[in-house]
Amino acid sequence: MKKYILSVLSVAFLGLTSCTEDIMDDINKDNQHPAPENVSAALQLTDAIMATGFSTVSGDYAFYLSSLNEQEIGIGNNQLMRAELRNSSEWAASTTFNNVWNSTYGNLMNIRQMIDKINTGTQGNAGKYDLLGMAQVLEALNFGVLTDMHGDIPYSEALLGQENLQPKLDAQKDVYAGILKTLDDAIGNLEKGKDLKSAGNQDIAFKNDNEQWMATAYALKARYLIHQLAVTEDRNALLTEVKAAAGKAVELGFKGFMIKEFNGVTCDNPWSAYLWSRYYIASSKTVTDLMGSDDPRFIHYTYETGESYTPGDETVAQVADGSLAFPEWYDLGTQPLHLFSVSELYFILAEAKLRLNEDATSEFQKAVTASISEILGWCGDDTDASAYVNSLGTPTLKTLFEQKYIAQCADEQVETYNDLRRLKAMGESYVVLTNPYNTQGGVNRYPERLPYGNSSVLSNPNVSSVYGDGYYIYTEKTWINGGK
């Protein structure tokens, strides 16, 4: 009997060992979905656009930065309260932006698969140059947001999957060079494929309008060029390049890179979903002080109450019942989501012209008008904004950045953060932040950058060695903002 039991146990043990080996062989395989090489690149475009908008551009980065920029007040007696009161652990923790870090790199993997399929002609994707250009535009935008937020990032060795699970950090200067090259390649491919309609009904941004994709590529080129203004050796030469790129986007009739609907169905805007689920934001006095009550957006920014709140007010930050005023447009759910707005393009062009000592009145007025018209349109307000726009007069850099700051309260907080740091690096200040917790005990608590995601901090020594305890975010500036 004893021998029999031992024999049975031996067989069972061998079976378990075999089963375990089989499981280990398959543990990194996705058997629930078709292999990437079997999916047409066009079918990956919709997800690439949606993920860029809903996660990278208007996700956790924007939600937290709305408090940091004082474009909204962080409230709710939870994460955004801690962000509002500049809790150092909240901002420095690798877990804070881990979700958006992972989702952005996941989206980039999807985009890179599109590019590789077209370049290799896999599954009939050869020759789809227009689709290739679209994917390259999206790659540049996603990498652009990552490096702007975090500085040096995995880039040249990223997206290789099992081939390299611990990619090195590339210097931001090199990442920027790669982004601009990718945009130039995109422009070339979009031109080459201008008569193709390879995206079918998967292009939820422009519905196969190739010129709009090309205009977006030029607009992004202008953005990533002007981001380097603080560290360039020849500002006039750079500004001339910015002016040319932005001018080309205008010439192509740029209508704004937005997500409005998916297959004819209006999507809930991520800001609206965020508000409805958490009520973590309220209207900021920094914004209303800049607006003044004669700004047609004022009444909608304060949800027809005229009320706004002082940044860093501890009592306000603890309110969690949704009773405070917040921007009316967040309660709509149907408003488009900007990935790159018309107003940003004209503000960039106006800044370039102003710094080149050229008249920028027309571009400035178009930028402000675009912002006001959108917000009033969303809220069903037929107020004529022309009198207000004209009252702003000939723009200065101060009025330009004040108006750009107000315009980007809608859903472009990521770019405002870039502007505020860039101007600081240039020794300029046009929007004064008032949150008293930005400095605590004589120590800076306004992040110069955002911390890396926890997944990479734990698994990649190249990232963890830089991250340390996370407090580097308060002292280490990114390259474009005067750091290394």
Side-chain angles (χ1 to χ4, degrees):
M1 176 64 77
K2 191 181 226 179
K3 289 182 181 179
Y4 174 75
I5 293 172
L6 288 173
S7 298
V8 170
L9 288 174
S10 298
V11 171
F13 178 74
L14 288 172
L16 285 172
T17 304
S18 176
C19 180
T20 302
E21 289 176 352
D22 290 343
I23 290 172
M24 293 305 294
D25 287 341
D26 291 336
I27 199 166
N28 286 320
K29 294 180 181 178
D30 182 358
N31 296 310
Q32 305 303 314
H33 302 91
E37 60 269 16
N38 294 329
V39 178
S40 169
L43 295 177
Q44 296 175 262
L45 179 63
T46 296
D47 188 55
I49 297 171
M50 289 288 283
T52 300
F54 277 64
S55 182
T56 303
V57 175
S58 281
D60 288 344
Y61 290 141
F63 299 154
Y64 272 82
L65 292 176
S66 68
S67 165
L68 194 64
N69 300 336
E70 300 180 17
Q71 289 169 299
E72 280 86 27
I73 302 296
I75 62 172
N77 204 28
N78 210 311
Q79 296 107 304
L80 261 291
M81 176 200 72
R82 293 195 292 270
E84 181 66 27
L85 302 180
R86 303 298 183 260
N87 179 284
S88 56
S89 298
E90 183 71 29
W91 283 103
S94 62
T95 53
T96 300
F97 298 101
N98 186 57
N99 288 344
V100 64
W101 172 268
N102 289 339
S103 60
T104 301
Y105 270 109
N107 189 32
L108 280 163
M109 179 69 82
N110 177 48
I111 293 166
R112 185 62 61 83
Q113 287 174 358
M114 293 174 62
I115 292 170
D116 290 344
K117 287 176 187 177
I118 298 167
N119 282 334
T120 60
T122 304
Q123 289 293 323
N125 288 295
K128 295 183 177 180
Y129 296 108
D130 55 339
L131 188 59
L132 177 58
M134 296 173 196
Q136 290 168 324
V137 167
L138 290 167
E139 178 178 297
L141 176 51
N142 279 270
F143 270 127
V145 173
L146 280 172
T147 190
D148 286 338
M149 296 300 96
H150 302 281
D152 300 348
I153 58 170
Y155 179 67
S156 62
E157 294 181 357
L159 312 178
L160 297 176
Q162 295 293 318
E163 292 181 33
N164 190 343
L165 296 175
Q166 297 177 340
K168 70 175 183 179
L169 291 174
D170 288 271
Q172 187 178 52
K173 183 176 183 179
D174 296 330
V175 178
Y176 256 73
I179 288 170
L180 290 169
K181 182 182 184 304
T182 298
L183 288 170
D184 283 338
D185 290 344
I187 290 167
N189 284 315
L190 288 164
E191 178 63 33
K192 192 184 299 185
K194 62 183 178 182
D195 297 324
L196 302 175
K197 299 290 182 182
S198 303
N201 64 355
Q202 300 299 312
D203 180 6
I204 59 172
F206 295 124
K207 301 186 186 305
N208 270 298
D209 188 333
N210 199 59
E211 284 203 347
Q212 285 300 306
W213 278 102
M214 196 176 299
T216 300
Y218 278 111
L220 285 168
K221 186 174 181 179
R223 172 196 283 180
Y224 292 117
L225 284 169
I226 207 164
H227 278 187
Q228 300 177 70
L229 194 57
V231 293
T232 187
E233 294 182 1
D234 189 340
R235 288 187 179 177
N236 282 354
L238 180 68
L239 289 166
T240 301
E241 284 189 75
V242 171
K243 181 181 166 185
K248 187 64 177 178
V250 170
E251 180 186 324
L252 288 166
F254 183 60
K255 298 176 182 177
F257 189 16
M258 297 179 287
I259 300 173
K260 298 181 181 179
E261 58 184 33
F262 175 57
N263 286 346
V265 178
T266 300
C267 305
D268 278 346
N269 185 285
W271 274 97
S272 299
Y274 175 67
L275 175 77
W276 295 335
S277 65
R278 303 192 183 190
Y279 288 100
Y280 271 2
I281 51 176
S283 304
S284 169
K285 195 172 185 298
T286 302
V287 175
T288 55
D289 283 351
L290 286 175
M291 282 182 169
S293 58
D294 57 338
D295 188 321
R297 294 165 292 191
F298 177 89
I299 196 67
H300 301 294
Y301 178 75
T302 61
Y303 215 144
E304 302 182 20
T305 66
E307 296 182 3
S308 58
Y309 312 96
T310 303
D313 185 317
E314 188 171 350
T315 301
V316 168
Q318 291 176 354
V319 174
D321 60 5
S323 62
L324 301 182
F326 56 82
E328 179 181 353
W329 52 83
Y330 291 154
D331 209 18
L332 299 174
T334 57
Q335 72 276 25
L337 174 65
H338 293 113
L339 281 73
F340 196 117
S341 69
V342 170
S343 63
E344 182 188 349
L345 175 63
Y346 279 106
F347 277 125
I348 290 172
L349 185 53
E351 180 186 352
K353 294 186 75 171
L354 275 178
R355 291 188 186 279
L356 288 169
N357 296 314
E358 300 176 14
D359 179 30
T361 305
S362 175
E363 291 77 14
F364 172 73
Q365 290 184 340
K366 287 176 181 177
V368 178
T369 299
S371 168
I372 295 176
S373 297
E374 279 196 315
I375 289 174
L376 297 189
W378 297 343
C379 298
D381 186 338
D382 60 1
T383 301
D384 184 358
S386 58
Y388 172 76
V389 174
N390 290 332
S391 73
L392 297 173
T394 302
T396 62
L397 286 173
K398 179 175 174 57
T399 56
L400 183 150
F401 279 103
E402 288 176 345
Q403 286 298 319
K404 188 177 183 184
Y405 176 87
I406 294 170
Q408 293 185 330
C409 287
D411 58 7
E412 297 175 284
Q413 292 82 355
V414 167
E415 275 309 300
T416 299
Y417 182 50
N418 291 331
D419 277 343
L420 293 176
R421 291 178 297 160
R422 172 168 66 91
L423 292 172
K424 178 183 175 183
M426 296 171 65
E428 301 175 7
S429 177
Y430 303 116
V431 175
V432 178
L433 302 182
T434 63
N435 191 319
Y437 292 102
N438 286 339
T439 302
Q440 299 172 36
V443 177
N444 175 52
R445 282 297 175 258
Y446 183 92
E448 299 288 354
R449 64 174 77 192
L450 302 182
Y452 295 115
N454 192 51
S455 59
S456 293
V457 170
L458 293 178
S459 65
N460 188 346
N462 299 310
V463 175
S464 60
S465 64
V466 174
Y467 174 81
D469 61 4
Y471 282 72
Y472 74 104
I473 68 169
Y474 298 114
T475 57
E476 302 297 325
K477 296 181 179 180
T478 62
W479 169 71
I480 58 172
N481 297 312
K484 295 182 180 178

